[in-house]
Amino acid sequence: MKKKIILSSVLSIVLCLSLITGSTFALFTSEKTVNVAVTAGNVEVTASVENLTLSTSLAVGNLAETSVTESDNTITLSKIVPGDCVTFDLRIKNNSDMTVKYRTVIEKLADDGLWNGLAVTIDGVPYDGSMKVSVWESAAPLSSDIIVPVKVELPETAGNEYLLKSCTFAYTVEAVQGNADVADSWDGSADYSWFLDNPEATEFSLTSSEQFAAFADLVDGSSALAMDGETSLPVTFEGKIVKLESSVDLYMEDENGEPVCFDPIGSYRNEQAFKGTFDGNGYTIKNLNQNTWALDNGYYYGDLGLGLFGLVEDAHIKNLTIDGANISGESAICGIVAACSYGDTTFENITVSNSEGADYQYYSGGIVGWASGNQTFINCVVDESTEIAAQWGDFDNATGGIIGGCGGNATIYLKGCTVACRIDSYNDVTSTYQWYAYRRAGMLIGNTGKTVDENGRTVAAAPQLICEDVTVIYGNWANYHYCEFGGTSWPYVRVEAGVSNSAYSNPRYGVATDANGNKVVDDNHTHNEGEDHNILCVFDQLYGGGQGVFGAPSHEGVTVIYNNK
C-alpha cells in the first residue's frame, strides 16, 4: 500500500477550465476566481486560482480536438497534442496568527500514457515524478498575498508516444502549522546544486529529498551524475558535516505501482565509505525501501550492503529518526542505518521505528549489519514497532537489535540505548537440540563469540561489548512455539508467522507436512499418538555465539524487562 502523509489541513483548489476547439492557435483566459478557505486548529488559509489560461496549436477541423474538463477538484486533459499548455496563478493568503507551511501538489489519478510526458513548473521550478510536488514554503502570520505561478504543458518536442493521449490529475495545496515536521517527497531526481556551488565547503545543508538523493550519489560515485567533469568521485566528506534541514520521504512508485528502491549512501561492495559527520538535525527519513532483487537483480553472496548508508568509516551519524524503512536481502548485509561500520564510528541520538530489516544467509541489524573497529552507540532506540529478521531461515544468519554481527577485534560501547524490537529468528530450532535455538540472534548483537563456562557448556561471550544504562524489552512475540512433525527437512516448524517465515512453512524447503503426510495449514493439524502439539521455545538472549552455543540472557550494564511472561 502506498504510504502517504495525511496532513491536518488541506486546501483543495478547483480549476475551472474550458474546452478549446476550432482554431489554429486558441487562447482562453478566465478572470474567474475560485476561493477556498480552510480552518484547521489555529490554521486559517485562503487560496484562489486566477488568470487561468489554456493555449493549443490544434488545427482547425482536426477531428482529434484537445479538450480540458474539470470535475470535483480534478482536471482531465484529453487528446493532447505537443505544444498544449495550461497556466494559472495560485493566490495564497495566511489569515491565521501563526506561521504556516504550504506546498502545491499535482497527483495523477488516471492515465493512458500522457502523464510522463507532461512538464510541470511550480513557481518557476520544474518538478517531475509520480507526484509533482513543490517544496514546503513558509507564510508569515497575517501575511500579504503570495502568488504561485503554475504551468502544465506537453512540450513541442514530446515524442509521438504522447500524441492524442489523456490523463486526469488532482490539484491541491497543502498547509500545516509552521512548526510541524513535514517530509519533502522524493520525485526520483537528484539536485547537486548544494554541493557544486562550493565543493570545498566544510559544511553542507540538504533542504529537499532530491538534494538528499544527490548526497547518496556523490558518496556512491555514480557515473550517472550530471557533474562538472572536474569533481573527484566518490566524495567521502571526510572532515566535513552534512546537515539535514528537512524531513524527507523516500517513497516513490514506478510506472507499475511498485516501490522504487533508494540506493544506499556509499557502497560496501566497492569500498566507498562515508567518512564525515551526518547530522539529521532532529528530522526524519521516511519510507526507505531497498531489496537486493530490485537493486541489482541477482544474488550477492555477501558483497552488497543495504541500509541508509552502505558503508561508513570513522564517521559520526547523529540526531536522526528512520521511520518506515523496509530492507530485505539475499546474502547481503542489512542494517537499517548502515550496512557496515568500520573504524572509529559513533551513532548518536538515533531512533528506528516502524521498520523491517530481513536477510537470508548473512547479517541483519536494527542499526548496523556488520561492525568492526571501535563502535559507539549513544541514546539509540530501536522500538517495538520494528522487526529484524533472519529471512527464510539459515544457519549462517546473524540477527541483532543493534548490530547483526561484529568482528573479533571490534569494541562495542552502548550507552543509554533502548531495544524493544521483535527479533524474528526462525531458522535455529533443529532436531531435538532445542538449545541451539537462536544461535546467531540477540536483542543487542546477533553474533559475537563463544567460551566454555564452569559447567562445561559452550556459551556466547562478548568481551568486546561494554554497556551502560542499556534497556532491553521483550514483548509477547518472544514466546515462540514450534510444532513437531515429519515430512520436512526440519522436525520443528514455528507456529507464529513473521517476516522470516509464514506459519508452518519454510519457503526454502517447501510446505511442511504433519506426521500423517498432510499439509500443515493451521493449528488444527494432528500428530502421531504421544507427540506434543507444540513446544515453547522462548527467545531470551542479548547475543548469540554460533552453532551449538547457548545465548547470553544477561550482560553487565543491561536492564532486561520481560513483557512476555
Side-chain angles (χ1 to χ4, degrees):
M1 179 180 293
K2 184 173 180 179
K3 303 174 183 176
K4 295 181 65 179
I5 303 172
I6 306 301
L7 300 176
S8 61
S9 175
V10 178
L11 310 182
S12 298
I13 312 304
V14 182
L15 305 185
C16 298
L17 302 180
S18 295
L19 178 66
I20 304 300
T21 60
S23 63
T24 303
F25 181 82
L27 179 65
F28 173 73
T29 301
S30 173
E31 297 299 333
K32 182 176 180 180
T33 298
V34 180
N35 293 292
V36 178
V38 175
T39 302
N42 296 320
V43 175
E44 182 180 348
V45 178
T46 60
S48 61
V49 173
E50 302 174 339
N51 302 321
L52 186 63
T53 302
L54 171 65
S55 60
T56 180
S57 56
L58 193 63
V60 175
N62 193 327
L63 296 178
E65 294 172 335
T66 298
S67 68
V68 184
T69 58
E70 175 275 324
S71 176
D72 297 329
N73 303 330
T74 66
I75 301 170
T76 299
L77 307 179
S78 299
K79 298 180 180 179
I80 297 299
V81 298
D84 287 353
C85 180
V86 175
T87 61
F88 56 89
D89 291 329
L90 177 63
R91 184 182 295 271
I92 300 173
K93 185 172 184 178
N94 179 16
N95 297 317
S96 55
D97 58 1
M98 66 172 62
T99 298
V100 301
K101 293 178 182 176
Y102 69 90
R103 69 175 182 177
T104 54
V105 180
I106 296 177
E107 183 175 10
K108 176 183 67 176
L109 300 181
D111 176 45
D112 70 357
L114 175 63
W115 179 256
N116 288 334
L118 292 177
V120 178
T121 302
I122 304 174
D123 202 12
V125 180
Y127 288 92
D128 296 308
S130 60
M131 291 178 64
K132 323 290 190 180
V133 184
S134 69
V135 298
W136 289 96
E137 302 285 358
S138 294
L142 304 173
S143 61
S144 301
D145 293 2
I146 300 168
I147 304 299
V148 179
V150 179
K151 180 170 68 174
V152 180
E153 66 176 334
L154 183 64
E156 292 183 357
T157 56
N160 290 334
E161 67 269 27
Y162 301 114
L163 183 63
L164 305 180
K165 297 295 185 178
S166 304
C167 75
T168 299
F169 60 84
Y171 185 85
T172 61
V173 174
E174 300 176 337
V176 297
Q177 293 183 0
N179 60 356
D181 180 18
V182 290
D184 181 71
S185 298
W186 185 40
D187 66 7
S189 65
D191 174 9
Y192 307 98
S193 60
W194 58 275
F195 180 79
L196 294 178
D197 287 344
N198 186 9
E200 302 305 318
T202 58
E203 185 169 333
F204 301 92
S205 294
L206 307 179
T207 61
S208 71
S209 57
E210 290 73 35
Q211 291 184 351
F212 188 79
F215 170 48
D217 283 348
L218 287 166
V219 181
D220 188 52
S222 171
S223 61
L225 295 179
M227 300 297 294
D228 56 8
E230 298 179 0
T231 303
S232 177
L233 297 176
V235 181
T236 67
F237 291 94
E238 184 173 3
K240 299 185 178 185
I241 299 172
V242 179
K243 182 178 291 187
L244 201 57
E245 298 290 354
S246 169
S247 291
V248 296
D249 188 340
L250 300 179
Y251 187 86
M252 180 181 170
E253 293 180 351
D254 62 18
E255 60 276 9
N256 298 316
E258 295 297 324
V260 174
C261 287
F262 186 88
D263 286 322
I265 303 168
S267 172
Y268 164 67
R269 170 185 286 170
N270 298 322
E271 298 182 347
Q272 294 166 188
F274 174 74
K275 298 183 178 182
T277 294
F278 179 75
D279 186 354
N281 204 20
Y283 290 106
T284 300
I285 295 175
K286 300 183 179 183
N287 302 325
L288 171 67
N289 178 71
Q290 294 173 348
N291 67 77
T292 53
W293 308 280
L295 280 174
D296 205 23
N297 194 28
Y299 298 88
Y300 298 91
Y301 303 102
D303 71 343
L304 185 71
L306 300 183
L308 181 65
F309 291 85
L311 176 62
V312 295
E313 183 177 359
D314 298 323
H316 192 176
I317 314 297
K318 63 181 182 178
N319 305 328
L320 178 66
T321 294
I322 296 182
D323 182 63
N326 192 325
I327 298 174
S328 58
E330 172 83 6
S331 300
I333 300 177
C334 299
I336 302 296
V337 180
C340 296
S341 183
Y342 297 164
D344 296 323
T345 295
T346 297
F347 298 86
E348 183 177 6
N349 299 329
I350 294 176
T351 296
V352 176
S353 184
N354 299 306
S355 297
E356 288 184 359
D359 184 66
Y360 159 64
Q361 205 174 359
Y362 226 41
Y363 300 96
S364 183
I367 303 290
V368 171
W370 171 261
S372 67
N374 300 316
Q375 302 293 310
T376 299
F377 299 82
I378 300 174
N379 298 330
C380 291
V381 176
V382 185
D383 72 15
E384 68 279 359
S385 64
T386 292
E387 186 168 355
I388 308 300
Q391 193 175 39
W392 298 347
D394 193 274
F395 296 140
D396 299 326
N397 256 39
T399 310
I402 295 286
I403 302 171
C406 58
N409 64 341
T411 298
I412 312 297
Y413 176 58
L414 307 180
K415 180 179 180 179
C417 297
T418 299
V419 183
C421 61
R422 175 182 175 181
I423 298 296
D424 183 5
S425 184
Y426 159 74
N427 56 321
D428 289 321
V429 177
T430 62
S431 188
T432 58
Y433 298 102
Q434 297 175 25
W435 54 274
Y436 275 155
Y438 308 107
R439 63 193 73 174
R440 290 185 175 93
M443 292 295 283
L444 299 181
I445 304 175
N447 192 47
T448 55
K450 59 186 178 181
T451 188
V452 177
D453 67 11
E454 63 274 12
N455 298 316
R457 300 191 315 165
T458 303
V459 297
Q464 73 274 58
L465 175 62
I466 301 170
C467 295
E468 182 179 347
D469 296 325
V470 173
T471 301
V472 166
I473 304 172
Y474 292 95
N476 191 58
W477 59 265
N479 291 334
Y480 285 129
H481 296 80
Y482 291 78
C483 281
E484 182 180 10
F485 49 83
T488 181
S489 299
W490 306 116
Y492 289 97
V493 176
R494 200 179 77 207
V495 173
E496 291 83 8
V499 172
S500 66
N501 76 312
S502 58
Y504 299 108
S505 174
N506 182 343
R508 187 165 174 78
Y509 296 99
V511 176
T513 59
D514 64 20
N516 298 315
N518 301 313
K519 286 186 177 181
V520 177
V521 294
D522 55 35
D523 284 339
N524 297 320
H525 71 280
T526 60
H527 290 279
N528 289 334
E529 184 178 354
E531 288 182 330
D532 291 334
H533 181 70
N534 59 54
I535 60 171
L536 173 63
C537 195
V538 176
F539 183 85
D540 179 19
Q541 58 192 60
L542 303 182
Y543 44 85
Q547 184 171 340
V549 178
F550 290 93
S554 62
H555 192 86
E556 184 177 356
V558 180
T559 298
V560 178
I561 298 174
Y562 296 95
N563 290 328
N564 60 316
K565 298 301 184 181

